[in-house]
Amino acid sequence: MNALLRLQFELGDIVSVDPLDLAANRTDKSGWVADGMPLAIVRATTVDQVQAALRIATEFRVTVVTRGAGTGLSGGACGTDGSIVLSVAGLTRILEINPDDELAVVEAGVLNQDLNDALARQNLWFAPDPASKAISTVGGNIATNAGGLLCAKYGVTREAVLGLTVVLADGSLLRTGHRTVKGVTGYDLTALLTGSEGTLGVIVEATVRVRALTEGTIATIGAVFNTVRAAAAASAAITAARIRPAVMELIDPVALGHVATYLGPEGSAGLPLGRGAFLLVQTDGPAALAEADAALIVLREAGGEATLSTDAASGDRLLAIRRAMHPALEQLGQVLIEDVSVPRSRMAEMFDAIAAISARTGISIPTVAHAGDGNLHPNFVITRRPGAAADAEVPDEIWAAADEMFQAALKLGGTLTGEHGVGVLKRRWLRDEIGDTSLALQRRLKAVFDPLGLLNPGTMFDD
């Protein structure tokens, strides 16, 4: 009996070999398409099924690619040739919400937004807020240590994870972490597994920290600057002034022009579009108005044309500018959404570097930034010639421009990825950032968890 027959015998209808299904699981939101065709898709709905799939994979030495909602942006959950794609999107139970201890226990396939909807009924919320939160899973958020608009004030996913239940490559079950506020017993395997991109084990359950809903006014500032450098300097000045907005987003003039076109005259009426770079600042909590007034002074002193609103509808319209960024670019072609971070004080220099690369190469690089934490998302729009395959590789000249951009971020004391992960797309630059010693150690760590190298091979590390 081979691996496929064993899967079908033990797991029945949750195993799919439909060609269209297999093909759909070769890609994710990054646009990356894995070579070849997966062996099968296993759509687990219980932890026992995940364990069975991994035991079979180990017995027959078949690689396993763990997949949630497929919203990743680094190519790290794409079904490779001959692999078992193990979907945990069907593990959708919210097992516990504990208001007294401010925690929740959820299965990996629970959508971020569904968790927050359930928490809101008890005046609680889960702080990690990736842009894909309406469609991305908590397990996926944890596997990539996802970020979002609120990270600067409320932290990334790792800071909200108390404990994990993980199925290891041989099918055994590992429980890490704790339900207490403090806990330092042994090595922190929870932190190690958070952001490990499916290379060490399959996350099936998580105990996460939740918060009381933030009370008070929400104040929103929209500010326009003549240049993106001025806007970046202004955002750094807000941080230097010890003001901590819940949201601080920056859109460069190139990206802002695409948003204006996408929204059209009616949709963009009254919005500050097409007049330079746009900086959105939003404060919340009891001190929101005082913080917004202080931020307004900083922005105007930095040369910004800034207006403050406490009206929810007006605030939502300003936020809509940021939300429209990627839909606007997707109208132009396939979008390669990149992700670098630099110290907040050096964002203006990073924007200068991106502009210089764009000017030298002739490649447009519309950029948006989570300015509150120095995380920039430069975008490359790939337009295909008529008749070209949609899954054609990213052109070499774009990767060359991206290489320059990554090196610039590292020279500024930054990192290759703030929230998307290494996946497949950035593994060739991993050594540049972490060095030989760390790379060798990380490979050895993977071998401890996954001695046969079956879990997400090619993700993070070259095969």
Side-chain angles (χ1 to χ4, degrees):
M1 185 178 287
N2 60 30
L4 179 56
L5 290 175
R6 178 69 70 78
L7 286 170
Q8 292 170 326
F9 176 74
E10 289 198 26
L11 298 174
D13 292 343
I14 70 167
V15 179
S16 171
V17 293
D18 178 85
L20 293 177
D21 203 6
L22 298 177
N25 280 271
R26 294 170 57 216
T27 188
D28 64 7
K29 283 288 186 180
S30 70
W32 170 266
V33 181
D35 292 335
M37 196 66 70
L39 175 71
I41 315 298
V42 175
R43 288 194 168 82
T45 58
T46 69
V47 174
D48 287 346
Q49 291 169 346
V50 174
Q51 290 182 274
L54 285 168
R55 281 196 297 267
I56 293 168
T58 294
E59 179 182 349
F60 289 93
R61 304 299 195 263
V62 178
T63 56
V64 177
V65 175
T66 308
R67 189 175 175 91
T71 59
L73 291 166
S74 64
C78 301
T80 51
D81 192 41
S83 66
I84 297 168
V85 176
L86 178 53
S87 171
V88 294
L91 276 66
T92 57
R93 292 183 301 163
I94 297 174
L95 300 170
E96 178 186 355
I97 294 175
N98 187 322
D100 294 335
D101 291 330
E102 294 188 326
L103 62 81
V105 182
V106 301
E107 291 187 323
V110 172
L111 296 183
N112 184 303
Q113 188 62 58
D114 287 350
L115 174 58
N116 269 309
D117 290 344
L119 290 170
R121 293 191 282 272
Q122 300 194 46
N123 293 314
L124 299 166
W125 68 299
F126 179 56
D129 70 322
S132 59
K133 66 182 179 181
I135 56 174
S136 63
T137 64
V138 173
N141 294 171
I142 295 170
T144 58
N145 192 25
L149 273 66
L150 298 173
C151 291
K153 183 170 184 177
Y154 294 105
V156 294
T157 299
R158 178 175 281 115
E159 295 164 69
V161 181
L162 293 171
L164 295 171
T165 301
V166 178
V167 181
L168 299 178
D170 63 0
S172 58
L173 207 61
L174 170 69
R175 298 187 186 278
T176 75
H178 43 76
R179 293 169 61 95
T180 54
V181 175
K182 294 179 179 178
V184 293
T185 309
Y187 294 126
D188 191 350
L189 296 181
T190 304
L192 176 63
L193 287 158
T194 302
S196 62
E197 302 186 43
T199 61
L200 303 180
V202 178
I203 296 167
V204 291
E205 183 184 300
T207 301
V208 297
R209 190 190 312 274
V210 299
R211 298 170 177 265
L213 284 173
T214 306
E215 297 183 354
T217 302
I218 294 177
T220 307
I221 299 171
V224 177
F225 291 82
N226 289 333
T227 67
V228 69
R229 178 176 236 287
S235 68
I238 286 178
T239 300
R242 304 298 182 262
I243 303 166
R244 186 58 62 90
V247 175
M248 187 155 61
E249 297 290 301
L250 196 164
I251 305 179
D252 78 356
V254 179
L256 201 60
H258 291 310
V259 171
T261 301
Y262 173 74
L263 294 176
E266 185 175 340
S268 61
L271 294 176
L273 299 173
R275 292 189 289 121
F278 176 70
L279 185 64
L280 171 75
V281 179
Q282 192 170 79
T283 58
D284 65 357
L289 285 175
E291 289 179 338
D293 285 339
L296 203 61
I297 292 170
V298 173
L299 293 172
R300 287 172 175 166
E301 287 180 348
E305 180 186 323
T307 56
L308 168 65
S309 174
T310 57
D311 174 65
S314 297
D316 285 345
R317 286 209 75 208
L318 291 173
L319 276 168
I321 297 174
R322 171 62 178 87
R323 294 192 189 105
M325 164 74 176
H326 291 298
L329 296 182
E330 286 174 344
Q331 301 297 305
L332 306 175
Q334 178 187 333
V335 184
L336 177 64
I337 307 172
E338 275 308 337
D339 165 40
V340 296
S341 287
V342 296
R344 290 171 290 191
S345 61
R346 309 200 73 175
M347 270 195 305
E349 294 172 78
M350 190 63 213
F351 273 103
D352 285 347
I354 293 169
I357 293 166
S358 178
R360 184 168 57 257
T361 62
I363 298 171
S364 177
I365 313 175
T367 302
V368 63
H370 303 311
D373 55 22
N375 187 189
L376 293 86
H377 292 309
N379 295 264
F380 296 90
V381 180
I382 304 162
T383 54
R384 303 293 187 199
R385 293 173 181 164
D391 61 353
E393 292 187 2
V394 173
D396 289 342
E397 61 268 23
I398 287 183
W399 280 130
D403 174 72
E404 289 189 53
M405 187 177 66
F406 298 148
Q407 299 303 333
L410 294 177
K411 286 177 183 176
L412 292 172
T415 177
L416 296 169
T417 174
E419 57 188 10
H420 293 172
V422 174
V424 172
L425 296 183
K426 287 191 174 176
R427 65 190 181 191
R428 73 182 86 168
W429 291 281
L430 184 61
R431 186 188 301 271
D432 293 344
E433 178 170 340
I434 68 174
D436 292 339
T437 302
S438 180
L439 181 62
L441 179 60
Q442 292 190 37
R443 284 184 177 277
R444 293 201 297 273
L445 277 171
K446 175 169 172 57
V448 170
F449 280 82
D450 178 22
L452 297 177
L454 300 180
L455 299 181
N456 274 22
T459 291
M460 216 182 293
F461 310 110
D462 288 324
D463 291 336

